[in-house]
Amino acid sequence: MKKYILSLLALSLLCLGTIANAKSIRIGTEGAYPPWNNLNSAGELEGAEIDFGNEACKRMGVECEWVTQDWDGIIPALLNGKYDIIIAGMSITEERKEKVNFTNGYMTDGARFAVLKGSGLENLTVAGMDKVNLNGAGGKEQAAIGQLIAAMNGNTVCVQSATIHQNFLDKHMAGAVKVKLYPGVDEANLDLIAGRCDAILADVGSTMDYMGTDVGANVAFTGPTFSGGVFGDGVGGAVRKEDSDILEMWNKVIAEMITDGSLSEITKVHFGRDISM
Amino acid sequence: MNFELIYNNFFIIISGLDETLILVIVSLSLGFFISIPFALARVSSIKILSKSVYFYVFVIRGTPLLVQIYLIYYGLGTIEYVRESFLWIVLKDPFYCGVLALVLNTVAYTTEIFRGGIQSVTIGQIESCKSLGMSRIAMYRKIILPCAFRQALPGYGNEMILMVKSTSLVSLITIMEMTGLARNIMYKNYAPVEAFLAAGSIYLFINFLVVQFIRFLEWKYNPHLRINS
Amino acid sequence: MLRFDLLIFGDAGWGDELIISSLMTILVSLSAMGLGVFVSVFVTWAKISSNIFLKLLANFYTTIIRGIPELLVIYLIFFGGSASIMYVAKIFGYYGYIELNAFTMGTISIGLISAAYSTEVFRGAYSIVNKGQAEAAKSLGLSKFNTFLKVLAPQILKHALPGLGNVWQITLKDTALVSVTGLVEIMRQSRIASNVSHSPLTFFLSAALLYLVLTTFSSKIFNKLEDYSNKNNVTAL
């Protein structure tokens, strides 16, 4: 009786789902993270990673199907089988490696604080360092962070939740600044303009894109550009641990696109500079 | 099922309990007191009064609370005029935006509950009041409102439980109450069941207490319904 | 501030996307409500049965769902969903991946919530229907099944209609909470549009308007249904 009911349940659930076709790859992306990936008013996805993904699929000879998913559910949806790979500006971190495998990095961008012009927090410099790499962080890097904490003490910093930027603030600046979490970067940007945030922490590309819009004209960078350490090692595609074949396919095509320079061309179009790895 | 994780999560989520409770208590209290004149307006014979309140109730009850919360927090934040006015002192803080949205929502529902209570007072009782020469105000104060509250208790109890659950939506405008903390745990540990169990059980417990409180009020204010009276 | 130009149809505006998302809202609400009513019939039956274990299980289900915020229920089903479904499939030797698309996840999450509320409505409606009706049917020789189908069920439905109308409104508005599943209904589409165009006011007001249209329309339909079911009511003259 129990087995009968369970089998009915399983059958009905199987009918509700479909199994992925081997000849097409479903790619999960956020669709709210310009210029990496975003939806436009025509309802289409556009951005550096969209171009990259489409080109990669062409080279691999498979059909690409893009699926959008909110950032906070993006890894669970991969594990749920909603798509086969995540290409959404996701940085390669040890924490995430526990749940998914990453392809080799294909793009990399630093993280930087941004504030409103005239807020008094612009143009913060720390120990004369433009770039702070937290890999193997030594005294110099710690001092830089310490200076930043002193300058921003008591302020509110806004970040997108479940990101490396949130991890950085939780690990290095907890207690010194008030952290506000948002489901997407644009909500954080809205609150920066509204004055609810003193600063935001996001990657350089995304903030630069925002500064290019008319509402974001008043935003300016401050402090050094961070990379490494808790910020991970570049942006890679995330796949389920058992899909090693998908992983290999993508690593091959990524290596190909790096060597022949097409990846760097794509990034130059969308970011205005070469951020390929 | 990682029990150690549930145990640890429990303490993280409990730290958001005070935020949840403050939201519930402030919103319910404000909502309760604002609903009384609104309900009176709804039953008044001044058409424009009852129609305006009805319109308000209609709009609030016809749209999801989440949309209302987003409109107040993000929508109003983009209006320059609001940002430069004195309203910004209140609207800048997500807590007050959350309270505003919750109060607007609960007033709409509570007004209808109170209206039902007021209208349930039988015509016989009203006639008795008039025959005793009571003024309108006395009639309301001594007979109608107390009767109305008693009638409204079950419905209002339900509204209280809905309020406790509604506070979870303000986690989407950066308020770190229990649901927000639970969601954070889900992102970091990918352990949804443990986080859900920890948070869910606390909400259940609060609602259990609310149900007991309402039962007590019903017992206290319905002495004529008690078995041994 | 209010950008009406963004609401036009076609490629340059979000109007068409918003209308399509409204259709999605209606679709997922209908399927969730359908699932909810279907499940609640069983749960109500369990609640009114004399089997203590069934009663306990049913009460446990409705207490939990009605006592915990909907957002948490949706998170549990979404974040934890595949694990349980995979577990069930593994019992039958299926080790591949079952894709649970956004629509399914949305339907199941909202449907389970809706079922808990529908159960309370049906339970209340059942208790209003006069026990004498069942006895009269029995004395007329109607089988238990026929009694239920021809005598009890229509009356239960009639009394349940206002409550079900309420559950429908709740279900319709709860669909705004399923963004995490990635389903593109009104709320998610408005958020996407608001993020791209940086004008939340325009799109959240549009969302509110769309929901208002849907709820108003629904309540008019339910009022007509109630009038139809009440037309043969016996009233003292």
Side-chain angles (χ1 to χ4, degrees), chain A residues 26 69-70 80 186 242, chain C residues 11 82 97 99 180 188 198:
Chain A
R26 292 164 308 162
Q69 169 66 40
D70 270 357
N80 271 353
D186 195 75
E242 55 269 20
Chain C
D11 273 357
S82 76
Y97 259 101
E99 176 206 333
V180 73
R188 180 158 155 77
H198 311 295

Side-chain angles (χ1 to χ4, degrees), chain A residues 7 10 14 16-19 26 39-43 68-70 76 79-82 186-187 210 213 215 240 242, chain C residues 11-14 17 78-79 82 88 92 94 97-99 102 104 179-182 188 191-192 194-196 198 200:
Chain A
S7 60
L14 281 171
L16 290 174
T18 57
I19 301 113
R26 292 164 308 162
L39 282 162
N40 60 22
S41 57
T68 49
Q69 169 66 40
D70 270 357
L79 301 174
N80 271 353
K82 190 172 166 189
D186 195 75
E187 275 114 348
Y210 190 63
T213 64
V215 283
R240 290 180 287 263
E242 55 269 20
Chain C
D11 273 357
W14 295 88
E17 278 88 10
F78 178 70
F79 283 88
S82 76
V88 169
F92 297 96
Y94 183 74
Y97 259 101
I98 306 176
E99 176 206 333
T104 312
S179 321
V180 73
T181 64
R188 180 158 155 77
R191 276 186 50 218
I192 293 175
S194 146
N195 282 348
V196 171
H198 311 295

Side-chain angles (χ1 to χ4, degrees), chain C residues 215-232:
Chain C
T215 52
T216 311
F217 206 59
S218 306
S219 67
K220 286 218 178 341
I221 294 182
F222 267 94
N223 282 342
K224 281 242 149 52
L225 279 173
E226 282 175 43
D227 286 342
Y228 172 75
S229 73
N230 281 336
K231 67 178 181 197
N232 291 325

Side-chain angles (χ1 to χ4, degrees), chain C:
Chain C
M1 218 179 60
L2 261 180
R3 308 262 314 272
F4 288 111
D5 59 306
L6 289 169
L7 292 173
I8 63 177
F9 290 78
D11 273 357
W14 295 88
D16 41 350
E17 278 88 10
L18 283 173
I19 299 292
I20 295 177
S21 67
S22 314
L23 291 174
M24 179 57 87
T25 295
I26 298 174
L27 262 170
V28 79
S29 309
L30 280 171
S31 66
M33 184 76 183
L35 178 68
V37 168
F38 179 70
V39 170
S40 72
V41 167
F42 292 101
V43 182
T44 313
W45 174 75
K47 270 205 177 190
I48 61 182
S49 85
S50 38
N51 183 333
I52 297 207
F53 177 67
L54 279 177
K55 238 197 201 128
L56 218 65
L57 212 63
N59 276 325
F60 183 71
Y61 167 71
T62 52
T63 309
I64 300 253
I65 298 285
R66 288 169 63 212
I68 296 186
E70 290 85 357
L71 215 50
L72 279 179
V73 175
I74 294 171
Y75 286 148
L76 174 76
I77 296 179
F78 178 70
F79 283 88
S82 76
S84 21
I85 294 172
M86 298 284 288
Y87 178 71
V88 169
K90 274 203 174 76
I91 298 179
F92 297 96
Y94 183 74
Y95 285 92
Y97 259 101
I98 306 176
E99 176 206 333
L100 288 173
N101 59 34
F103 187 81
T104 312
M105 291 254 94
T107 302
I108 295 178
S109 359
I110 308 278
L112 286 181
I113 297 173
S114 175
Y117 288 105
S118 298
T119 302
E120 288 307 300
V121 170
F122 281 130
R123 201 170 57 90
Y126 174 78
S127 64
I128 292 181
V129 171
N130 198 338
K131 291 294 172 294
Q133 300 273 336
E135 285 172 8
K138 197 166 165 191
S139 69
L140 282 174
L142 282 177
S143 73
K144 229 175 169 184
F145 180 67
N146 264 335
T147 315
F148 179 72
L149 202 61
K150 299 211 165 102
V151 177
L152 291 177
Q155 296 196 50
I156 294 178
L157 263 175
K158 190 179 89 161
H159 286 113
L161 215 46
L164 284 180
N166 205 32
V167 176
W168 166 255
Q169 302 276 16
I170 294 177
T171 305
L172 195 57
K173 292 190 289 180
D174 275 352
T175 58
L177 302 175
V178 291
S179 321
V180 73
T181 64
L183 185 65
V184 185
E185 39 67 55
I186 298 179
M187 190 65 199
R188 180 158 155 77
Q189 185 64 269
S190 322
R191 276 186 50 218
I192 293 175
S194 146
N195 282 348
V196 171
S197 61
H198 311 295
S199 45
L201 202 62
T202 314
F203 291 103
F204 293 134
L205 272 177
S206 315
L209 204 66
L210 286 167
Y211 278 110
L212 208 54
V213 166
L214 290 179
T215 52
T216 311
F217 206 59
S218 306
S219 67
K220 286 218 178 341
I221 294 182
F222 267 94
N223 282 342
K224 281 242 149 52
L225 279 173
E226 282 175 43
D227 286 342
Y228 172 75
S229 73
N230 281 336
K231 67 178 181 197
N232 291 325
N233 271 359
V234 176
T235 47
L237 283 166

Side-chain angles (χ1 to χ4, degrees), chain A residues 72 170 181 191 194-196, chain B residues 73 88 91-92 174 187-188:
Chain A
D72 39 16
D170 286 343
L181 302 171
D191 266 5
R196 290 183 173 125
Chain B
Y73 187 70
W88 196 236
L91 292 176
K92 184 169 175 182
T174 77
Y187 298 154
K188 294 207 133 110

Side-chain angles (χ1 to χ4, degrees), chain B residues 67 75 148 173 199 223:
Chain B
V67 177
I173 52 168

